[in-house]
Amino acid sequence: MEEMDVNESWEGFAQRMQRLNPLFELGRGMDVGELKPYIQTILMQVLLTIFYRELNDDDNRRKSDIRYIVEDTIKQMKLLADDRQIERITSGLLYQGKEEYSKPFEALYYDEIRQSWETQVFRYVTMDELYTNLELGSSIVYKLTDVSQEMIFMSREMAEEFSITIEQLYSMQLIKNGNFRKATRNLDNLISRVNRLMAKEFTFQKEMINNPKILLIEDKSQRSDSRAEIEQQFEEEKNHFRTITSMIEKTKRRNEEDNAVQKELTLLQEKISHTRQLHDRFAKLVIQNISYEMKLKAENPSLFWETSLVSFREHIYENGFMKEGVRRFELIESVLSPLFSPKNEFILPLDWIWGEQEFDEKQQTETVVEEETEKAITHQRVTNWDSVIMAWSYVFQYLQTYREFSLADLAELPLEIQNLWFKESETIDLWMMFDKKPLKVQVLHRKEETFSDEREILLYKLMKEYPQFQMFEGLKLYTKFDPKAEPFHWQHMKITPFKICIQEEKR
Amino acid sequence: MNAETIKRASAVYFSLLKDKVIDENSEHFQTYFDPEVRQTVLLLADESGTYIIESPKRIQIVVQPTGSVFATNFTHMKEKHKQIETKKHFHLISVVIMSFLAAIDQNQAAKIRTKREGISYYTLERQVNDLIMNWDSILKTKPGMGEEVRIDMKDVVTTWKYMEVDTEDYGVKKANRRTRIGLIASAMKLLETEGLIVILDRDDIPKAVPKQELFERIEYLYHDYDRYEMFKKLMNTEEDGHAENPSN
């Protein structure tokens, strides 16, 4: 099983790295001075611009155009660059190293199958043969390579940047170029895109119902004003689907002889009809949400008024307590107290409640409940005598003074000690042991190995650590039911309240 | 007000007392919004020093800042920290809760974000620290101002300043009030018990995620101008009885 897990993590590792390397390498080693921290962002935007031009059949993708794109991008990002830097960035996207050699980029990856390091050779842009006029010997028109397209798709997966329309355009482009397999693959992107948007729309619907005010802040709030526009957009997208379908039909007819192509086209056709169905469902959901929004706004306009002139953050916290300090903490308490609900365990007749409430509550041994839940965080059970001894030393100190100790008294000890007490479950286990039978303390002169009773070990260790407890030697410890205390709950146990007492006996 | 109305109103009021929150699926929710019943419930609430917080999805009951006969999780916490040594811990817990409220009391967009991501204990620690450092400089720059009534504040500032943020010792990490994170854990625990937040990533870097119930309580209590005036008055009356800055 474990071995399988290991294999899984290696599965397709070389391929993964080959997808990531171009990202890692983007702009690396480029000497652009102070632009270095921005270089990847600049280059990504340049790649996107080239990509969109390709989708829109725009052939302004020559080196001189790319140089202009670089310059423009830098300007738009409010950065400064001189000609040399712009040249460097442009050529750095086209080739590795000196422009003269026009070298491709290289990166290492580990091949998990061959178990060796391999070199990956790639480029970000390559010649677009459709647009480069080879006969006329004009300059090269560039398009993205598969590698850099992959980068854009990866980032899109994260950013959900592309609209459905762009995906459709891209599919059309691919079909036009006869790249059916890739078109099919791109439909997967379109499907995942639609699915994602649909999930988002569902969440939005849920949130809107629960808290209509989000309509005030989500961008979507504006869309209800332009319902017609949205419907038109869906209509357009439907048209794209129709175009894609007819393109596939035409191509099918043109390639009747070619079985392989027919197969690919059939696959493409199936996929497109699935995508279309999903898209229709999505459109319906969006329209439904819009109607709901409009209904909410019409019926409960007050929900959308931002009425509050005051806020806790600004008026009470920042301008109040933070700026002025606090004279008496009762002030903070009265500000915070109404955050809490009245506590009431029993329903009593009305006038009883008024009178008895506080009283009833105090009877509950709440101390432990809180510690318990905090304890649940730790989940550990350690045998740590040091801590146990430390915790119990307070009990024996108490016993020394008052001759008896009840668990309820614990609440009176400093909080640190209370925490200590519940830190080790053994501490409380030992408490339970005292309830078994009275213990005559005779440990001082015995060897540790001879003890069979945990309580004796405890006392022995206590006396060694704190000599003042040697006075317990010869005394008898017994327990008594404590009628005043409530049953005690600790870690799913109900502990009968009892107290440990000292019975003085002459030796 | 007829007997039937009173009967229905008490049913709603008592189930509010029992459950603290009544959501839209409860039969009492419908009953409550009958105008006569609502009036009676509000009357009962006011007489007993409680507020009823209404929202489209639920109604909640909380105590009024003054004059409530009811104990709450908050008053319990206070009860448990009566000793001098532990009292300042309670003050600090209150400060933590305040800072937390301030952190989540933002515009709608930020609200949604905190609701999704929560606020980590360490972020909160920084927020509290900002407040305390501010107090520290107030104490330093205005040493003569009402010295005797600022004992609490001074004590709290000192305790916080000399408190470790966290402890390396994993075993005692969580419920340890001697560290700042431990204090924050106690404060968040209180809000969790009250059903106002959810705590995530307990074993890693814990985060407190406010629930809608908390936002509704904040909005009702602190975004309302009349109640804000009341808090202000409360603060001013408290201050009137004590040393005043002569320059004011």
Side-chain angles (χ1 to χ4, degrees):
Chain A
M1 194 64 206
E2 206 173 305
E3 208 181 292
M4 206 180 92
D5 284 345
V6 170
N7 286 343
E8 269 173 13
S9 80
W10 278 109
E11 209 179 285
F13 183 70
Q15 268 172 328
R16 257 180 223 276
M17 288 319 295
Q18 287 181 80
R19 288 177 75 188
L20 290 171
N21 271 337
L23 265 178
F24 296 159
E25 292 295 318
L26 189 62
R28 206 163 108 172
M30 237 184 242
D31 176 24
V32 287
E34 68 276 18
L35 282 179
K36 203 174 171 201
Y38 314 107
I39 188 69
Q40 293 184 325
T41 313
I42 296 168
L43 288 173
M44 199 65 194
Q45 178 55 34
V46 173
L47 283 175
L48 277 165
T49 311
I50 300 171
F51 180 61
Y52 275 86
R53 288 192 181 176
E54 182 191 337
L55 286 187
N56 293 314
D57 291 330
D58 178 347
D59 69 348
N60 290 316
R61 289 174 267 136
R62 295 174 185 84
K63 193 187 163 196
S64 55
D65 301 315
I66 295 177
R67 189 191 182 284
Y68 180 71
I69 296 172
V70 170
E71 196 179 348
D72 202 43
T73 305
I74 291 174
K75 216 182 280 168
Q76 282 203 34
M77 290 177 175
K78 299 185 175 65
L79 299 168
L80 287 172
D82 56 29
D83 281 350
R84 194 195 59 82
Q85 284 168 316
I86 293 169
E87 290 292 342
R88 183 71 196 89
I89 294 172
T90 309
S91 69
L93 187 65
L94 268 48
Y95 335 99
Q96 184 170 55
K98 277 212 168 94
E99 189 168 359
E100 292 89 313
Y101 306 123
S102 184
K103 260 171 55 184
F105 298 85
E106 286 184 5
L108 293 175
Y109 65 93
Y110 187 76
D111 189 312
E112 80 279 5
I113 294 162
R114 287 189 226 161
Q115 307 216 338
S116 63
W117 283 94
E118 305 287 334
T119 304
Q120 174 188 4
V121 179
F122 63 91
R123 284 183 191 278
Y124 295 104
V125 290
T126 183
M127 180 169 67
D128 187 343
E129 279 143 45
L130 277 178
Y131 289 91
T132 309
N133 196 330
L134 294 169
E135 277 108 82
L136 283 177
S138 58
S139 29
I140 299 174
V141 174
Y142 289 99
K143 62 173 189 182
L144 300 200
T145 58
D146 287 358
V147 158
S148 49
Q149 264 182 19
E150 188 66 45
M151 280 162 53
I152 285 175
F153 289 140
M154 267 197 281
S155 67
R156 175 213 38 203
E157 292 283 311
M158 290 173 230
E160 296 181 28
E161 177 195 333
F162 284 4
S163 70
I164 290 170
T165 317
I166 290 293
E167 299 281 10
Q168 291 171 322
L169 283 178
Y170 184 57
S171 296
M172 279 186 230
Q173 200 75 34
L174 291 170
I175 295 169
K176 223 186 325 186
N177 293 351
N179 202 339
F180 308 126
R181 199 168 296 164
K182 201 158 171 195
T184 312
R185 231 174 37 221
N186 188 57
L187 281 175
D188 286 335
N189 291 329
L190 188 49
I191 289 170
S192 93
R193 167 101 204 129
V194 174
N195 275 333
R196 243 178 249 214
L197 285 172
M198 206 146 42
K200 232 168 128 180
E201 203 65 31
F202 266 123
T203 318
F204 178 65
Q205 191 178 57
K206 245 172 65 193
E207 279 187 20
M208 174 168 58
I209 292 168
N210 197 29
N211 176 21
K213 279 220 172 88
I214 65 161
L215 290 177
L216 287 174
I217 55 123
E218 301 261 320
D219 315 334
K220 285 178 185 153
S221 58
Q222 274 119 32
R223 66 185 190 179
S224 48
D225 310 326
S226 53
R227 178 177 174 160
E229 247 172 65
I230 288 171
E231 281 181 15
Q232 198 199 328
Q233 193 196 321
F234 278 130
E235 200 48 50
E236 234 170 72
E237 283 166 4
K238 265 189 199 162
N239 278 333
H240 285 318
F241 279 126
R242 242 167 264 144
T243 315
I244 295 174
T245 314
S246 76
M247 271 173 78
I248 298 172
E249 280 303 328
K250 266 188 230 149
T251 326
K252 242 181 156 175
R253 258 177 276 132
R254 264 208 312 273
N255 296 282
E256 257 169 9
E257 312 299 306
D258 194 334
N259 263 337
V261 171
Q262 288 293 327
K263 233 169 153 183
E264 274 177 22
L265 284 171
T266 312
L267 211 66
L268 194 56
Q269 231 167 1
E270 280 167 13
K271 225 159 201 164
I272 206 79
S273 88
H274 174 61
T275 319
R276 218 159 108 176
Q277 280 172 13
L278 275 180
H279 180 266
D280 284 352
R281 228 184 292 163
F282 170 61
K284 226 163 138 186
L285 185 63
V286 171
I287 302 292
Q288 188 188 328
N289 274 358
I290 291 176
S291 322
Y292 188 75
E293 264 178 70
M294 297 211 287
K295 199 173 141 228
L296 266 177
K297 283 188 175 169
E299 289 175 6
N300 310 287
S302 65
L303 287 175
F304 303 98
W305 299 336
E306 278 276 33
T307 46
S308 77
L309 296 163
V310 283
S311 77
F312 180 85
R313 183 193 180 90
E314 196 186 332
H315 293 87
I316 297 177
Y317 190 76
E318 285 171 355
N319 295 336
F321 290 120
M322 191 164 215
K323 221 162 104 189
E324 307 290 336
V326 55
R327 283 163 191 271
R328 286 156 47 78
F329 269 80
E330 282 77 359
L331 282 179
I332 293 186
E333 281 161 33
S334 42
V335 169
L336 290 183
S337 61
L339 262 186
F340 295 85
S341 298
K343 286 203 58 148
N344 175 47
E345 253 66 51
F346 317 102
I347 297 289
L348 302 169
L350 204 56
D351 27 343
W352 278 38
I353 288 180
W354 305 164
E356 304 283 332
Q357 189 57 34
E358 281 285 351
F359 177 72
D360 260 359
E361 280 308 317
K362 271 184 229 155
Q363 293 277 312
Q364 311 261 326
T365 323
E366 286 278 321
T367 332
V368 193
V369 179
E370 193 209 348
E371 305 302 335
E372 171 200 332
T373 27
E374 283 179 356
K375 167 99 189 174
I377 304 164
T378 355
H379 312 296
Q380 37 181 359
R381 194 190 153 112
V382 204
T383 305
N384 182 351
W385 270 106
D386 287 346
S387 156
V388 173
I389 296 292
M390 178 77 110
W392 274 87
S393 67
Y394 292 94
V395 172
F396 276 91
Q397 216 175 341
Y398 202 102
L399 269 174
Q400 244 180 333
T401 325
Y402 301 102
R403 319 310 281 177
E404 54 177 34
F405 180 87
S406 152
L407 260 198
D409 295 327
L410 200 58
E412 288 184 44
L413 294 177
L415 218 69
E416 281 85 340
I417 295 149
Q418 293 184 33
N419 285 337
L420 193 64
W421 240 83
F422 293 101
K423 212 177 98 191
E424 310 291 351
S425 52
E426 273 98 329
T427 309
I428 200 93
D429 288 347
L430 271 162
W431 176 265
M432 307 292 280
M433 282 179 196
F434 275 98
D435 200 21
K436 279 199 302 203
K437 53 179 195 219
L439 174 74
K440 175 109 191 253
V441 184
Q442 274 174 326
V443 295
L444 196 52
H445 307 291
R446 287 166 64 189
K447 281 212 167 66
E448 209 182 334
E449 308 85 67
T450 63
F451 299 129
S452 54
D453 192 327
E454 295 273 317
R455 296 174 297 176
E456 290 186 324
I457 301 176
L458 170 71
L459 273 149
Y460 178 78
K461 285 183 183 290
L462 270 170
M463 288 179 192
K464 288 201 98 173
E465 192 73 32
Y466 308 96
Q468 75 262 34
F469 292 148
Q470 292 182 6
M471 54 91 46
F472 283 99
E473 178 77 6
L475 300 182
K476 200 166 159 189
L477 299 174
Y478 66 100
T479 57
K480 222 161 64 179
F481 177 67
D482 186 357
K484 281 194 310 218
E486 291 280 332
F488 215 82
H489 295 270
W490 193 73
Q491 297 223 334
H492 313 298
M493 284 187 297
K494 191 171 162 189
I495 302 173
T496 318
F498 58 82
K499 39 190 180 181
I500 297 182
C501 308
I502 306 176
Q503 189 186 328
E504 310 246 12
E505 266 186 9
K506 286 271 165 278
R507 251 186 276 184
Chain B
M1 211 185 286
N2 59 39
E4 183 58 24
T5 306
I6 293 173
K7 206 173 133 192
R8 291 170 71 205
S10 353
V12 172
Y13 183 74
F14 282 110
S15 81
L16 260 176
L17 274 186
K18 187 163 147 273
D19 301 328
K20 328 300 181 207
V21 179
I22 290 179
D23 75 16
E24 54 169 352
N25 300 320
S26 158
E27 48 166 335
H28 295 301
F29 189 78
Q30 294 304 326
T31 318
Y32 175 79
F33 282 103
D34 173 318
E36 277 190 26
V37 172
R38 182 169 170 273
Q39 275 310 314
T40 315
V41 174
L42 288 174
L43 195 75
L44 282 170
D46 198 48
E47 283 299 312
S48 58
T50 53
Y51 288 135
I52 309 276
I53 298 174
E54 302 165 0
S55 72
K57 303 294 277 187
R58 61 188 74 80
I59 45 179
Q60 311 187 55
I61 189 168
V62 295
V63 300
Q64 289 181 9
T66 49
S68 176
V69 293
F70 289 106
T72 65
N73 282 326
F74 190 61
T75 60
H76 276 290
M77 180 73 112
K78 188 179 173 174
E79 279 298 308
K80 279 171 15 192
H81 294 77
K82 273 204 153 148
Q83 292 178 326
I84 299 178
E85 216 15 55
T86 55
K87 203 169 154 185
K88 60 189 180 196
H89 288 143
F90 174 70
H91 290 336
L92 275 171
I93 287 171
S94 307
V95 169
V96 170
I97 293 176
M98 260 208 328
S99 295
F100 179 71
L101 293 185
I104 63 167
D105 186 26
Q106 295 165 350
N107 61 38
Q108 291 287 342
K111 216 173 267 184
I112 301 228
R113 197 164 1 96
T114 47
K115 221 172 120 184
R116 280 184 194 139
E117 295 165 9
I119 291 188
S120 89
Y121 286 9
Y122 292 91
T123 312
L124 191 51
E125 190 272 330
R126 288 291 91 197
Q127 298 251 10
V128 176
N129 199 57
D130 286 349
L131 177 76
I132 302 263
M133 286 306 127
N134 221 52
W135 284 2
D136 194 31
S137 60
I138 291 176
L139 290 170
K140 275 179 191 147
T141 51
K142 301 176 189 165
M145 186 180 148
E147 180 67 44
E148 75 281 8
V149 291
R150 284 174 185 264
I151 296 289
D152 279 351
M153 186 170 152
K154 209 170 182 174
D155 215 15
V156 160
V157 168
T158 317
T159 312
W160 176 266
K161 269 171 77 180
Y162 293 102
M163 213 178 236
E164 303 244 0
V165 172
D166 208 345
T167 165
E168 291 298 304
D169 188 350
Y170 187 76
V172 293
K173 191 168 190 160
K174 305 301 156 61
N176 191 340
R177 288 206 180 94
R178 279 166 302 179
T179 68
R180 295 176 181 182
I181 293 297
L183 263 177
I184 288 168
S186 300
M188 292 303 104
K189 178 79 226 143
L190 184 65
L191 293 182
E192 188 194 33
T193 312
E194 187 70 18
L196 299 180
I197 61 168
V198 175
I199 298 171
L200 301 178
D201 293 349
R202 274 177 207 274
D203 292 328
D204 183 16
I205 292 174
K207 291 161 200 81
V209 181
K211 288 168 66 175
Q212 189 58 28
E213 284 83 342
L214 179 56
F215 287 123
E216 284 165 12
R217 289 187 189 190
I218 291 174
E219 185 159 331
Y220 177 90
L221 294 168
Y222 311 117
H223 290 185
D224 176 275
Y225 197 76
D226 293 340
R227 264 179 289 276
Y228 169 65
E229 285 289 308
M230 183 201 64
F231 281 126
K232 233 169 83 178
K233 221 174 113 192
L234 213 68
M235 292 180 194
N236 289 334
T237 31
E238 288 272 355
E239 280 185 21
D240 283 344
H242 301 280
E244 280 292 314
N245 187 348
S247 67
N248 275 344

